[in-house]
Amino acid sequence: MPKFSANLSMLFTERDFLDRFDAAAAAGFKGVEYLGPYDHTPDEVAARLTKNGLSQVLFNVPSGNWAGGERGIAVLPDRVEEFRAGVDKAITYARALGCPQVNCLAGITPAGVDAKTAEDVFVGNLKFAAEKLEKAGIRLLVEPINTRDIPGFFLTNTKQALDILERVGSNNLYIQYDIYHMQIMEGDLARTIEANLPRIAHLQLADNPGRHEPGTGEINYPFLYDFIDRLGYAGWIGAEYKPKAGTEPGLGWFREFAGKGSAAA
């Protein structure tokens, strides 16, 4: 059965960030992910992972001013040096945390920048990052995101992501396939995952509408869990959703599958 990681940027937010590691482990999760660890030292985060026996599954390359509305800087022509410095920072943290992969958010296409220019900047940044991360033994991922939640986001569907991977031409670049985002943008989830599984290094979930926990919306998650398992997917599925009524009360979906052994590392 699939193995699930808790996204600590969305789950257990009733607690301070470092205390969320304890809560995730207590709930039965064996892995964690989040937007970024950069507000804390590598040693502080590593200590919580070790204390709780957790695997660090994923985090993002620095994505700009999140509080100010930025959602990645990889398509911004005037931020290339900042992006490259962020890759170095991500490598430092990934090594300290034993994290095998990092995700790169493309960002929102800036006003006055045409799609071709944005793509060229993105491809150049990904070539740089994929090569540097490969030397460090870390995979690089890119994530298509729906334009309902993030209007103007550059990377929005699987085909576009595959085209970008082709242009970059690196064996160290993969897709992070978020089931929630792709249900909104393209649907046909099972067939898309099956057709592109060799290029998918990480999955994430939330139900639609609402981006709440599985079982609150239209997506047939029990079918998808079994389908993904039959495909032989060996990676993690990140629980990246907004709890409808608090994290613990909404973990019934996870407890059910954890009881079948799906939470095991």
Side-chain angles (χ1 to χ4, degrees):
M1 293 296 291
K3 54 187 181 181
F4 299 98
S5 56
N7 189 297
L8 302 185
S9 295
M10 288 194 168
L11 302 188
F12 306 105
T13 56
E14 304 87 349
R15 299 167 172 81
D16 291 337
F17 178 73
L18 291 176
D19 293 334
R20 297 174 200 172
F21 291 78
D22 305 355
F29 287 98
K30 303 299 184 184
V32 293
E33 58 184 72
Y34 34 75
L35 292 174
Y38 309 111
D39 289 339
H40 302 275
T41 68
D43 287 346
E44 287 176 319
V45 180
R48 292 300 178 114
L49 291 168
T50 300
K51 171 188 174 185
N52 291 292
L54 291 167
S55 296
Q56 181 63 60
V57 174
L58 177 86
F59 57 82
N60 292 341
V61 174
S63 302
N65 181 2
W66 196 267
E70 291 185 331
R71 294 297 181 262
I73 60 173
V75 299
L76 307 187
D78 59 344
R79 306 280 285 278
V80 172
E81 291 306 313
E82 180 183 346
F83 175 83
R84 293 187 174 195
V87 172
D88 289 334
K89 190 172 187 178
I91 289 172
T92 296
Y93 274 82
R95 283 174 165 164
L97 306 180
C99 186
Q101 56 193 9
V102 295
N103 181 45
C104 172
L105 292 177
I108 297 168
T109 306
V113 175
D114 61 74
K116 184 182 183 305
T117 298
E119 181 174 311
D120 289 345
V121 173
F122 192 32
V123 168
N125 278 331
L126 292 175
K127 286 182 176 180
F128 170 85
E131 180 179 357
K132 194 151 195 179
L133 286 160
E134 185 172 21
K135 291 177 181 177
I138 302 162
R139 288 187 298 270
L140 177 62
L141 284 60
V142 291
E143 179 185 11
I145 290 178
N146 82 77
T147 53
R148 182 184 302 159
D149 289 354
I150 307 181
F153 196 81
F154 176 78
L155 185 61
T156 63
N157 61 75
T158 303
K159 183 183 183 304
Q160 184 190 11
L162 291 168
D163 290 345
I164 294 290
L165 266 60
E166 185 68 22
R167 279 200 63 189
V168 173
S170 172
N171 291 326
N172 193 44
L173 182 60
Y174 297 85
I175 294 172
Q176 175 171 301
Y177 186 90
D178 188 303
I179 294 167
Y180 163 76
H181 289 305
M182 292 303 94
Q183 170 70 356
I184 293 171
M185 296 303 294
E186 62 190 25
D188 207 14
L189 300 169
R191 289 182 60 186
T192 303
I193 293 169
E194 181 177 21
N196 300 292
L197 192 65
R199 302 318 307 267
I200 294 173
H202 189 62
L203 294 166
Q204 290 180 324
L205 61 75
D207 220 327
N208 182 60
R211 203 176 187 179
H212 301 309
E213 53 265 41
T216 60
E218 67 186 355
I219 302 174
N220 187 349
Y221 272 109
F223 166 81
L224 281 178
Y225 301 150
D226 290 342
F227 182 80
I228 291 165
D229 194 45
R230 290 197 304 272
L231 292 178
Y233 175 70
W236 294 82
I237 302 177
E240 189 186 52
Y241 62 82
K242 296 182 284 189
K244 196 167 186 178
T247 302
E248 279 87 354
L251 285 176
W253 69 272
F254 174 69
R255 287 190 290 267
E256 176 184 353
F257 284 89
K260 298 176 182 178
S262 63

